[in-house]
Amino acid sequence: FELPNGSAIHSVTFTPDGMSALYAGNMGRAFRRSLFTKKVVTTYGEVQESNIRCCRVSGDGKRVFLGRAGNPGVIDVYRTSTGRKIKSLRLHGWDVTGVAPSYDGKELLSSSQDGEAILWNVETACTLYRENVKSAIRSIALDKQGRWGYAGCENGIVVIIDCENHKLYQRRHIHKDHVHGLVCTGDGRQLFSVGSDRQLHFSNAPQLHKVQSVQCHSNYATALATSADGSYVATGGHDGTVAWWSLDW
């Protein structure tokens, strides 16, 4: 499907049950759409609010996290079923570029345009770990186990963060330009990434040795999500389209 009036999609994700997809961008709101009826089920946010740079759903499906552009960057937390806002968090000094919640939504790994990745407690807003990767971060991912975090940077590098031991593990040059989307499979063994080079990459985790790549959009690839069973992924592009990919390679 396509959005009207040239709206750009900045982020797309699936609900854990695989029944619907969320997408958001420069509209100020996020939308949850049924993959079967193709109709919008729930809307999050208001039109007059700032652009949404990223959206994710907690593994238990109960919370939606939206990262917004601005100074400071704001993270809004909503109930998935009703669209009611639970809280707004202001922990980053600039645009929030990535949000990666833990399974229960009680912890969150987030990133910002200023190069900071923060692991924090959602309920108390306490910082558990903070890392500045010395480059603007465009996307962030956390595996289901909460062991490994990944920060996609504007120079094409993916920084691997050891969240358990609170340290930077490695850096890998995956894309030719900005890394706009990162997502782990459920077992944490693979990582998908998309970037300004219009490529969808598939790598083994956590070492990130590239397995396969394919051109996914006619313009920048700006968003990425995987289904709960890891059988397919969705990509969003600056061309205003969302594409589904079957992982049969």
Side-chain angles (χ1 to χ4, degrees), residues 64-202:
V64 170
F65 295 81
L66 305 181
R68 296 186 180 275
N71 184 7
V74 177
I75 300 172
D76 289 331
V77 187
Y78 297 84
R79 294 201 182 280
T80 306
S81 58
T82 64
R84 184 176 68 86
K85 184 185 291 187
I86 301 171
K87 62 176 64 178
S88 294
L89 302 171
R90 294 169 173 82
L91 298 181
H92 288 283
W94 203 246
D95 295 1
V96 178
T97 56
V99 286
S102 62
Y103 179 84
D104 59 7
K106 294 182 179 180
E107 291 186 1
L108 181 75
L109 182 63
S110 60
S111 61
S112 175
Q113 184 71 21
D114 61 10
E116 275 206 323
I118 300 176
L119 180 66
W120 51 282
N121 184 298
V122 174
E123 304 302 321
T124 65
C126 291
T127 300
L128 303 176
Y129 173 63
R130 179 173 293 187
E131 178 73 47
N132 194 307
V133 302
K134 311 301 181 184
S135 177
I137 303 174
R138 298 288 181 173
S139 54
I140 201 85
L142 180 68
D143 67 15
K144 186 177 180 179
Q145 297 74 28
R147 176 69 169 84
W148 298 102
Y150 305 90
C153 303
E154 65 177 11
N155 55 7
I157 290 176
V158 176
V159 176
I160 309 168
I161 300 172
D162 184 343
C163 294
E164 186 175 89
N165 296 303
H166 296 175
K167 65 179 183 180
L168 192 151
Y169 177 65
Q170 280 184 348
R171 298 173 185 263
R172 291 286 188 185
H173 205 147
I174 304 295
H175 289 270
K176 296 179 181 179
D177 208 334
H178 301 354
V179 183
H180 289 297
L182 292 169
V183 67
C184 300
T185 54
D187 59 9
R189 295 181 180 179
Q190 288 85 34
L191 182 79
F192 294 94
S193 61
V194 293
S196 294
D197 55 8
R198 302 178 293 174
Q199 296 293 308
L200 167 64
H201 284 277
F202 169 47

